[in-house]
Amino acid sequence: MANNMVYDIAIVGGGLAGLALSIQSAKAGFSVVLFEKEQYPFHKVCGEYISLESWDFVENLGVPLSKLQLPIVNKLMVTAPNGNRIEHSLDLGGFGISRYSIDQSLYELAKGLGVRVEAGVKVDDIFFEADIFRVHASVGMIQSRIAVGSFGKRSNLDVKWKRPFILGKQKQLDNFIGVKYHIDIDWPNDLIALHNFKDGYCGISNIEDGKTCLCYLTTANNLKTNGGSIEAMEQTVLKANPYLRDILNKAVHLYETPVTIAQISFERKSLIENHVLMVGDAGGMITPLCGNGMSMALHGSKLAYEAIAPFLRNELSREAMEQEYSNAWSKTFAQRLKVGRLVQRFFGKTWITNLFVAMLKPFPFLVRAIVKQTHGERF
């Protein structure tokens, strides 16, 4: 793979942020290489709900959302472990689509635009020297003017680079696990629910083709105390919530085993690592209970592109580009992430969650305010 060509942009990680950035860049005529360790299409742990703030952007990338007959979600239900519940309309709302489907669509668009996609390829390291990046991958080494890390929640590069959220003492927002199923169940197209249980919560909403996504987050300790068995944990912990018990008992699983991920952290992350721009979850992850990580990844790719393009056209210095991206990202997302981390702390201990839901129930304007704080405007 190694040759003398210097790409404009090398992107490590082919999820929503990486693919969307590659498409924007290729449309502008920049040369792009993208690395993804998996082979498309593939399933990912994800709530698979995208705020409607992203609809126009995704369609402009080339995904014909209007033709896909996707479920439009405009109602929210939140339940406490004791069965108390809040129901509320969503001012903006969202739509459901699986990562298997949307990632594949974006991958095909990127390839069609001339992006060099190296799927099934792992990147070992990225070096910056003499204003050029050298990306070392399992298939060889490439060079680029810009390098972007969009490798998701946790990767081998996070560990290799000793990023602070990896090395630090374990905190309250560290070491979560995520579990996702696609299920067949009678579920309203317009509803997203957040069912809380001891040390975790479960989101459920519809996606394409009449399927339903059920995805939950909990602590690694919950799994450990149930002998490492997901089935046992669901039986003893999740089903303590009567709504979840009913759903889990009725659900028909559409694939044999769940998709899982471990060692998830919601702690603050740096946006620039040795001149590599971090986009999507690699730059900062909003707690899933806020239901907006997919939109943030897409919007983040736009912010990155808007800083990168002037640099590649020699209109900005590298330092100015990095500063512009950091400022735009902080202005757009810092408050959202702060609110997300704050709300996350109320959803953990059973008694706190029960009390929090009970306190919010008589004040729907507070629910609306929290939702608004974790979502953005159309972009």
Side-chain angles (χ1 to χ4, degrees):
M1 181 179 174
N3 56 43
N4 293 325
M5 177 177 178
V6 178
Y7 287 87
D8 290 319
I9 308 173
I11 301 171
V12 181
L16 290 179
L19 287 167
L21 177 59
S22 76
I23 291 167
Q24 294 167 84
S25 303
K27 282 183 175 182
F30 299 123
S31 57
V32 186
V33 58
L34 180 145
F35 298 90
E36 168 52 51
K37 64 182 176 135
E38 306 290 345
Q39 292 282 0
Y40 295 98
F42 59 96
H43 292 287
K44 273 188 174 181
V45 174
C46 180
E48 301 184 328
Y49 161 93
I50 305 182
S51 166
L52 281 169
E53 69 194 71
S54 301
W55 182 278
D56 294 342
F57 176 74
V58 175
E59 286 220 312
N60 288 335
L61 289 176
V63 182
L65 297 176
S66 301
K67 298 178 181 178
L68 299 181
Q69 298 182 309
L70 299 171
I72 303 298
V73 179
N74 52 34
K75 294 178 183 174
L76 169 70
M77 176 196 294
V78 180
T79 71
N82 62 7
N84 199 3
R85 75 180 188 183
I86 300 169
E87 293 185 48
H88 203 279
S89 61
L90 293 171
D91 292 342
L92 184 58
F95 60 99
I97 186 169
S98 70
R99 291 298 301 273
Y100 190 90
S101 174
I102 192 170
D103 285 21
Q104 177 68 10
S105 295
L106 293 172
Y107 161 67
E108 290 171 355
L109 284 167
K111 284 191 68 177
L113 289 164
V115 175
R116 180 174 183 173
V117 181
E118 292 289 342
V121 172
K122 190 173 183 178
V123 170
D124 303 313
D125 211 345
I126 305 172
F127 296 95
F128 180 71
E129 187 179 19
D131 217 34
I132 291 292
F133 291 96
R134 290 170 177 81
V135 180
H136 292 257
S138 55
V139 291
M141 187 270 289
I142 67 99
Q143 301 178 98
S144 64
R145 294 179 63 195
I146 289 282
V148 174
S150 56
F151 37 71
K153 301 168 181 64
R154 183 186 178 95
S155 100
N156 63 310
L157 292 179
D158 289 323
V159 177
K160 191 176 189 75
W161 294 345
K162 299 179 180 178
R163 298 183 74 192
F165 78 93
I166 294 284
L167 293 179
K169 183 180 177 183
Q170 198 170 98
K171 300 176 184 177
Q172 185 179 346
L173 298 180
D174 282 334
N175 208 17
F176 287 88
I177 62 167
V179 179
K180 186 190 81 175
Y181 299 98
H182 284 169
I183 60 175
D184 183 10
I185 194 170
D186 184 16
W187 188 263
N189 258 351
D190 62 353
L191 177 67
I192 184 168
L194 193 68
H195 299 300
N196 291 274
F197 53 88
K198 178 182 176 291
D199 295 331
Y201 46 84
C202 175
I204 179 168
S205 58
N206 284 351
I207 54 173
E208 74 274 5
D209 302 329
K211 294 179 287 190
T212 301
C213 174
L214 184 150
C215 188
Y216 64 85
L217 184 87
T218 188
T219 58
N221 189 59
N222 249 353
L223 185 63
K224 183 180 178 181
T225 55
N226 281 275
S229 167
I230 288 175
E231 187 177 354
M233 180 176 66
E234 291 175 354
Q235 190 67 38
T236 60
V237 181
L238 276 72
K239 288 186 178 180
N241 181 313
Y243 289 93
L244 265 179
R245 181 167 60 247
D246 185 59
I247 291 166
L248 291 169
N249 287 341
K250 290 177 179 176
V252 175
H253 290 204
L254 297 179
Y255 43 76
E256 288 184 12
T257 57
V259 185
T260 61
I261 188 172
Q263 296 180 302
I264 302 171
S265 172
F266 301 106
E267 292 298 335
R268 291 176 179 82
K269 300 178 182 179
S270 54
L271 280 176
I272 313 287
E273 289 282 350
N274 195 26
H275 301 289
V276 179
L277 272 62
M278 298 295 166
V279 185
D281 287 343
M285 185 178 174
I286 194 165
T287 53
L289 63 85
C290 296
N292 217 24
M294 293 173 79
S295 276
M296 282 185 59
L298 291 163
H299 198 171
S301 79
K302 184 173 185 284
L303 299 179
Y305 170 75
E306 288 170 349
I308 289 169
F311 168 79
L312 292 175
R313 293 194 296 261
N314 299 313
E315 298 165 5
L316 278 182
S317 67
R318 188 176 297 279
E319 183 182 13
M321 173 203 63
E322 293 174 1
Q323 192 62 55
E324 186 162 311
Y325 173 58
S326 297
N327 290 345
W329 194 96
S330 295
K331 182 180 178 182
T332 308
F333 300 130
Q335 181 63 19
R336 267 192 236 186
L337 291 171
K338 183 178 179 181
V339 172
R341 285 191 290 265
L342 179 64
V343 174
Q344 172 88 9
R345 296 176 191 277
F346 287 99
F347 290 93
K349 294 186 183 300
T350 300
W351 72 270
I352 292 178
T353 309
N354 289 337
L355 178 63
F356 188 55
V357 171
M359 289 172 61
L360 284 177
K361 193 168 183 175
F363 305 106
F365 68 91
L366 290 177
V367 179
R368 180 180 288 110
I370 292 170
V371 171
K372 188 173 179 59
Q373 285 292 312
T374 57
H375 287 61
E377 306 296 329
R378 292 182 183 271
F379 60 92

